[in-house]
């Protein structure tokens, strides 16, 4: 945020605001101060009507500040228009304050106007930020997919058949959303989190529908008198599932989460009242339907999902802290490995310790949060990069080529030797994509891929396998270098 908002936000949070790059997401740490508290000069007494009105304008702006700083929507949202309207009103009221031509009052009015203008700018920048627009574009793509694959067939009176292509497409969109840069800005983090939670909920519902397609249900009505009613409930649940997906993706203009929740709760009550005693198969059938309904109900609280900063700000998340602790340990081990290799000591190999870190990461609870999953995936890749480096070093040290070794096979091993040296440089790289050293590493790795492409195995199977593994190894190094420099944040 611009420096003009400093006065409002200082009064809100009790400390300077740093341009939206980092905030204390736990909320205000002290009671709001007077917007002009701490200023050394107050030429006019507070009881002067003009000064009192300016103080009131600043207090109103301070009350709107937290809403502006956490707004994660777009310019056509109702909340955006409300905040813009309120701030514009304050700006006009400040402009109408009669300063009587006095410099002190003019300065106070200017400060009040600057604080309101700063909030207006921040509001607009958040709603029009390229990352915010990217989030909306991905959300729009998800809505289109879900509408065509789930909602439209249901509205047409048919049953949507969930394809593997739809499931894969949703997973791809989730991955792309996790990679949208937020720069630590609260509104962008909030918008990304809300989009992700909804899309992950839709994915969960869709996957539940996929599982249902494979079940040997419903049961025959001849099995038990209660089966007919359970089958009817199953049909209603199927309709509710599509309604839920439409609600989550903003494709339903008539229904509401509260209305759907009431319908599902009534179905639960009805199922609970059915007498299925003495028939284990029917009792199990009812249990499965109840689980289906409960699975849908758990997603109906997403109307306010993301308003709690503890959800979308993962800095204090215990799983993220575990992942970061592992990354810190990996960084230390990586440094030691590179230091020993640089000294020509190749006996240092903490592979067992690295493997234990992989096991630790596998046990980290992601709570189905895609950002935590992505953070864990990246930590796993960091561990695996060091392990593969050690594996190749050991393979090169053990290599004892025979006199009958084919020239093509020897050429592959020469490339692997070069890749090992390049991987050491990649592991130690700590820069950005714009750096010359990054571009040089990328160029050298690409040259090694071209060298492998030029190797002709002449039908020698072992050479074919070796070249294929070397190509994969080079691509993994390039992927790791790309990951290290993509500036992703959770």
């Amino acid at each position: 945020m611009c420096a003009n908002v400093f006065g409002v936000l200082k009064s809100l949070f009790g400390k300077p605001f740093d341009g939206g790059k980092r905030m204390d997401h736990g909320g205000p740490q002290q009671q709001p101060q007077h917007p002009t508290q701490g200023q050394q000069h107050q030429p006019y007494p507070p009881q002067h009507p003009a000064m009192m009105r300016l103080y009131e304008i600043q207090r109103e702006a301070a009350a709107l500040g937290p809403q502006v700083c956490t707004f994660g929507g777009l310019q056509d949202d109702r909340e955006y228009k409300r905040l813009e309207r309120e701030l514009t009103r304050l700006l006009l009221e400040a402009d109408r304050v009669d300063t009587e031509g006095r410099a002190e009052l003019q300065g106070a009015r200017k400060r009040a106007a600057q604080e309101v203008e700063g909030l207006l700018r921040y509001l607009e920048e958040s709603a029009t930020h390229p990352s915010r627009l990217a989030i909306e574009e991905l959300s729009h793509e998800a809505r289109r997919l879900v509408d065509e694959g789930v909602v439209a067939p249901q509205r047409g009176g048919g049953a949507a058949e969930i394809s593997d292509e739809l499931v894969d497409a949703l997973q791809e969109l989730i991955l792309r959303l996790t990679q949208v840069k937020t720069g630590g800005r609260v509104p962008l983090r909030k918008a990304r989190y809300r989009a992700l939670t909804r899309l992950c909920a839709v994915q969960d519902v869709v996957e539940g529908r996929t599982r249902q397609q494979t079940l040997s249900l419903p049961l025959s009505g001849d099995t038990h008198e209660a089966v007919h009613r359970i089958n009817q409930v199953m049909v209603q649940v199927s309709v509710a599932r599509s309604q839920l997906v439409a609600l989550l993706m903003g494709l339903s203009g008539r229904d509401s989460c509260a209305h759907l929740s009431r319908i599902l709760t009534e179905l639960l009550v009805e199922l609970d009242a059915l007498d299925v005693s003495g028939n284990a198969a029917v009792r199990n059938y009812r249990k499965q339907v109840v689980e289906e309904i409960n699975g849908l109900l758990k997603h109906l609280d997403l109307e306010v999902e993301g308003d709690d900063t503890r959800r979308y700000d993962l800095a204090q998340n215990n799983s993220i802290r575990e992942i970061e602790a592992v990354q810190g340990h990996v960084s230390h081990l990586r440094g030691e490995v590179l230091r020993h290799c640089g000294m020509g000591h190749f006996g240092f190999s903490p592979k067992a310790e690295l493997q234990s870190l992989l096991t630790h990461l596998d046990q980290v609870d992601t709570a189905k949060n895609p950002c935590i999953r992505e953070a864990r995936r990246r930590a796993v890749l960091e561990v695996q990069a060091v392990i593969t480096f050690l594996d190749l070093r050991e393979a090169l040290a053990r290599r004892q080529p025979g006199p009958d070794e084919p020239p093509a096979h020897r050429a592959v091993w020469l490339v692997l030797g070069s890749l090992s040296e390049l991987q050491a440089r990649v592991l130690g790289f700590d820069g950005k994509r714009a750096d010359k050293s990054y571009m040089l590493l990328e160029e050298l790795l690409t040259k090694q891929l071209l060298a492998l492409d030029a190797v002709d195995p002449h039908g020698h199977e072992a050479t074919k396998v070796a070249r294929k593994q070397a190509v994969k190894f080079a691509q993994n190094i390039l992927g790791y270098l790309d990951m290290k420099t993509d500036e992703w944040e959770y």
Side-chain angles (χ1 to χ4, degrees), residues 161-233:
E161 291 292 326
I162 308 302
S163 65
D164 291 339
E165 289 76 12
L166 176 59
V167 174
D168 292 342
L170 291 175
Q171 182 58 44
E172 173 65 20
L173 286 174
I174 288 173
L175 181 60
R176 287 166 63 188
L177 268 170
T178 64
Q179 295 171 346
V180 172
K181 308 295 188 299
T182 68
R185 291 172 67 98
V186 173
L188 297 179
R189 275 193 44 223
K190 184 175 181 179
R192 186 180 67 174
Y193 179 77
R194 288 174 68 88
L196 279 168
T197 51
R198 281 159 175 72
L199 193 49
C200 286
V202 168
Q203 183 189 40
D204 189 49
V205 173
V206 166
E207 287 179 348
R209 179 65 171 268
T210 305
R211 289 191 297 271
Q212 185 195 26
Q213 290 173 180
T214 65
L215 294 175
S216 57
L217 298 175
L219 295 179
S220 169
D222 299 332
T223 307
H224 192 278
E225 59 182 9
V227 169
H228 177 67
R229 183 52 194 149
I230 300 176
N231 289 343
Q232 290 179 324
V233 171

Side-chain angles (χ1 to χ4, degrees), residues 382-404:
E382 289 180 14
V383 178
Q384 290 175 338
V386 182
I387 292 175
T388 55
F389 173 72
L390 292 169
D391 286 341
L392 182 56
R393 284 281 182 170
E394 292 173 4
L396 288 168
R398 292 195 306 266
R399 171 169 154 73
Q400 295 180 347
D404 299 329

